[in-house]
Amino acid sequence: MCGIVGYIGVKSNPLEVVIEGLKQLEYRGYDSAGVAFIEDSKFRIYKEVGKISNLEAKVKNIDFSKVSNLAIGHTRWATHGGVTVPNAHPHISNSGEIILVHNGVIENYSVLKEMLVRKGYYFYSQTDTEVIVNLIEEHIKEDNTFEDAVILSVKELSGTFGLVISYLKEPDKLIAVRKGSPIVVGVGDNESIIASDINAIVKHTKNVIYLEDGEIAIVRKDDIKTKDFAGEDVKKDVFVVDWEIESLNKGNYPHYMLKEIFEQPVAIENCIRGRLLEDEGAVKLGGIAKLENYIHKIRKFVFIGCGTAYYAGMVGKYVMENIGGILTEVDYASEFRYRNPMVSPRDVVVAVSQSGETMDTLEALREAKRKGSITMGIVNVVGSTIAREAGMGIYIHAGPEIGVASTKAFTNMMVAIIMLSVFVGRRKRLGIFEGREIVSNLKKIPELVEYTLNTTNKITNDIAKEFYKSRNFLYLGRHYNYPIALEGALKLKEISYIHAEGYPAAEMKHGPIALIDENMPVVVIATKGSIYSKIISNIQEVKARGGKVISIVNEDDKEISKISDYVVTVPNTIEVLSPIINVIPLQLLAYHIATIKGLDVDKPRNLAKSVTVE
Ligand code: F6R
């Protein structure tokens, strides 16, 4: 969850690269930050609690003429030890000769710490990380080379770690290590940048090497060597990243989240480009072509993911069963991996993830592989661990998502899942005419999303002004739009800190109806579909108990508009695509409520974008 950056090269101010990189990674964790570099043959360390900007202010007057050609940095999301300056990274060894930054959790740190304390080491922080740096020092004292000392040390660690390490006596290199926490090395022109994800790198180079678990990289400005933990050389491919630097800036938007909400038409366009075969009512998905070989043997699909990605998987259950014509389950990745799931070589397990690095999703994918299932990924970040390990997959092409609350990745996940369902359906029970209907309407979705953004932005802002002081919200939806109710509630919770629950509308009368009174805003997704008339009854039940109803309805709606307190209209589309449109006003409503409350929507408290710990 923490972000790490290391730079070695010829730039006159390596700290600038590191601070800039940390800012791009700040969404990974933002409770404290620190940097280190070499000056006058000593490591200089600066750390601050709070945002990177606090740290930046502290280092801005440093005279860089005497500073080394390398720097490392870290943005923290606390796991072991409170949010304090001593607990912030980098951590330095007792001799002051080794320094490192760490992303991950060392499970056996207390045993190692005791051992090191017995040998006379002193610990200045409560972190698990300080153990690693002193362990390396201990192995160097035993006459091992820097590289061997790192390998010996990491072999003694259990848990997860992405590390960038510097040794004062060998300032021509940094060593990066990966086990369980992502590490990417950017291959620049006379410079190398190491980071926990590519956002910190793409400004400098688009050529990157992804380390796999159990690998280390010895990184010089003009040379990168990779080895496994046995010390054997490993040959790595260089990937070319296609993200543009502009997409990493907020542009004219006040927040990344708003920018990303408004990027959805373009993002969806990028997701469907070249993949829709209108005449055949089918789709072309090169990344899953080999699924064709198993299609008639498949027993079921299982979508796994966390948070918003899990809700996309839930939409997948409805869509795949309806148009794919195949039994489909959906599971929280964190539950799937520990509950001995019933999957077999005839089942397809689909890992859904924006980052492609979420630890629970990755481990669930690995569990599915162990059980011999067919696996695939629906992933945004190209070359990420899930994308690499899934075996096949569909990239959602949403572009970088920086706002912690996922928006454009969610809509693109749904689009990818619908295309996957058409792919399967057209080889099973979906006829050409139904296929054409879905494909031709999918083609129109970017335009409809654009329209929805423009027509619902103001009204959701007005509604937000009415309800931002509410302490609770209920979101109701049915069928394809039940997961959208859950997603709407999640968006509100995470950025506005208002308690919200999503419910299948008909379930309300089995319990939550007891909560309804005049202080309870109830957002109802009530667009036209097979169970429209049932939703009307559900709204009446809320109204009868004094609840305030905010309905999402189609523009030609007559009935629900009459019985609702507030109405947000959205354009019509076919029912299976309606979740893509209906989530837009819910994203905007959450955004407006949070901004009216003056909250930092891009970095909500306690959250991190990429959850790489269990
Ligand atoms: C919510 C949100 C999280 C993520 C979840 C999975 O807005 O962003 O719930 O959806 O942490 O992340 P990925 O998709 O990267 O696996």
Side-chain angles (χ1 to χ4, degrees), residues 306-309 353-355 358 404-406 413 490-491 494 611:
C306 301
T308 289
S353 175
Q354 186 284 126
S355 61
T358 301
V404 165
S406 186
M413 283 169 185
L490 177 63
K491 287 292 89 94
E494 63 185 337
V611 186

Side-chain angles (χ1 to χ4, degrees), residues 185-188 201 205-209 238-241:
V185 186
V187 187
I201 297 176
T205 174
K206 291 190 173 176
N207 299 328
V208 299
I209 294 171
V238 177
F239 280 77
V240 181
V241 181

